[in-house]
């Protein structure tokens, strides 16, 4: 969506400057959550259309609980806690953005949400997140490290092809996809000294060579191949139970 797809409005409750999509008759303020009814009077709408946009501070364009577009220019952004979904391309191409805090109310982040945010260097993902989707962080050249929450089940193809050098996994069961002849990998791996890509993968305080475990598509699969507990990486005892977590060894 382009800026000319919006009309400029002011929240009647907190006086925040907002931009509302013309096709909708109601929006929710990105600051206080107030529901705002858009005037239907054609003359008033036409007058608002002629105003020059002045994007200052945090400007969250929200459709109910979905963050449709961040139109601000702040370097550090805290997404409001009433947001439950970040729409496709919500921050795409924002080169000013450096840090983002996403609250645990967010359960879904759509394709290309942060694609092309070249200055982004720090982001906290919400714990309920289950999937990192297509091109979510592609082109985020300054994003060197990221923590993948425990509930993330899958990192899709071409999801994090960016400046990453290390990934911290909170679960060994999270899967990723290597490259193939049809598409890019979930993330790029460093295969030589001094090369670009992810060189370190962290899990339970242990450091793994990313290139060594990459082809296994998950930490759990790699640990299993080494005869270790796929859940925590511990060793199995005489009775087939992990000495750390008590997980029973698969037969």
């Amino acid at each position: 969506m382009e800026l000319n797809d919006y009309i400029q409005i002011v929240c009647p409750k907190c006086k925040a400057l907002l931009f509302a999509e013309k096709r909708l008759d109601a929006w929710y303020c990105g600051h206080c959550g107030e529901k705002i009814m858009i005037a239907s009077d054609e003359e008033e709408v036409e007058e608002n259309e002629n105003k020059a946009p002045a994007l200052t501070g945090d400007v969250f364009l929200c459709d109910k609980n979905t963050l449709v577009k961040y139109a601000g220019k702040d370097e550090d952004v805290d997404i409001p806690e009433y947001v439950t979904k970040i729409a496709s391309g919500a921050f795409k191409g924002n080169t000013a953005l450096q840090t983002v805090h996403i609250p645990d109310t967010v359960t879904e982040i759509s394709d290309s949400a942060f694609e092309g945010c070249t200055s982004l260097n720090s982001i906290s993902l919400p714990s309920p997140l289950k999937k990192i989707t297509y091109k979510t962080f592609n082109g985020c050249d300054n994003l060197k490290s990221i923590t993948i929450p425990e509930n993330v089940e899958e990192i899709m193809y071409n999801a994090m092809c960016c400046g990453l050098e290390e990934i911290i996994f909170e679960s060994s069961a999270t899967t990723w996809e290597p490259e193939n002849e049809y598409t890019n990998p979930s993330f790029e791996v460093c295969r030589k000294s001094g090369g670009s890509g992810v060189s370190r993968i962290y899990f339970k305080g242990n450091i793994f060579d990313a290139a060594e475990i990459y082809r296994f598509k998950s930490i759990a699969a790699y640990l299993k191949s080494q005869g270790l507990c796929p859940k925590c990486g511990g060793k199995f005892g005489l009775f087939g139970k992990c000495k750390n977590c008590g997980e029973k060894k698969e037969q």
Side-chain angles (χ1 to χ4, degrees):
M1 290 183 282
E2 304 296 333
L3 281 177
N4 57 13
D5 294 325
Y6 299 97
I7 58 173
Q8 180 178 316
I9 61 175
V10 175
C11 174
K13 183 176 180 180
C14 71
K15 308 305 180 183
L17 173 66
L18 305 170
F19 286 79
E21 192 179 353
K22 294 176 184 176
R23 66 181 179 85
L24 300 179
D25 58 6
W27 279 84
Y28 289 75
C29 176
H31 292 259
C32 67
E34 179 78 0
K35 183 176 182 180
I36 304 169
M37 301 301 297
I38 305 302
S40 58
D41 183 81
E42 292 184 359
E43 292 182 0
E44 183 172 349
V45 171
E46 183 178 355
E47 180 183 349
N48 283 332
E49 287 178 351
N50 293 329
K51 291 183 179 179
L55 300 178
T56 58
D58 281 336
V59 182
F60 299 98
L61 303 176
C62 297
D63 182 4
K64 296 183 179 179
N65 294 329
T66 298
L67 174 54
V68 178
K69 186 73 175 177
Y70 176 74
K73 295 183 178 180
D74 284 2
E75 295 178 351
D76 307 313
V77 174
D78 289 322
I79 294 175
E81 291 190 354
Y82 62 83
V83 171
T84 60
K85 177 182 177 180
I86 299 175
S88 177
F91 290 83
K92 185 176 181 179
N94 187 322
T95 57
L97 188 67
Q98 293 186 18
T99 65
V100 182
H101 174 71
I102 306 176
D104 283 344
T105 53
V106 174
T107 59
E108 181 180 351
I109 301 176
S110 300
D111 296 350
S112 299
F114 297 93
E115 183 182 359
C117 294
T118 54
S119 299
L120 181 65
N121 58 57
S122 177
I123 188 166
S124 60
L125 297 178
S127 59
L129 192 66
K130 292 187 179 297
K131 183 183 293 187
I132 299 179
T133 58
Y134 182 68
K135 289 189 174 181
T136 300
F137 296 108
N138 277 23
C140 297
D141 298 336
N142 278 302
L143 186 62
K144 304 301 181 182
S145 176
I146 193 169
T147 297
I148 308 300
E150 184 175 4
N151 289 318
V152 173
E153 299 171 355
E154 175 186 10
I155 303 174
M156 294 183 64
Y157 280 114
N158 215 14
M160 304 193 307
C161 292
C162 54
L164 283 175
E165 296 176 355
E166 63 180 36
I167 303 176
I168 300 98
F169 285 92
E170 293 185 347
S171 170
S172 64
T174 303
T175 62
W176 60 77
E177 296 294 341
E179 72 274 11
N180 60 37
E181 59 182 313
Y182 302 107
T183 188
N184 290 330
S186 297
F187 54 86
E188 296 167 332
V189 171
C190 177
R191 292 186 170 89
K192 61 181 181 179
S193 178
S196 61
V198 177
S199 61
R200 302 175 300 278
I201 287 179
Y202 294 83
F203 174 68
K204 298 290 185 181
N206 296 311
I207 306 176
F208 300 93
D209 182 346
E212 183 178 352
I213 71 172
Y214 177 65
R215 64 183 177 88
F216 289 92
K217 300 185 180 182
S218 74
I219 296 173
Y222 170 76
L223 292 172
K224 186 177 179 180
S225 74
Q226 302 300 303
L228 301 173
C229 174
K231 186 175 181 180
C232 73
K235 294 182 179 180
F236 290 105
L238 294 176
F239 299 101
K241 285 189 176 181
C242 176
K243 295 179 180 180
N244 288 340
C245 68
E247 184 79 2
K248 190 175 182 180
K249 187 175 184 179
E250 294 182 11
Q251 300 298 322

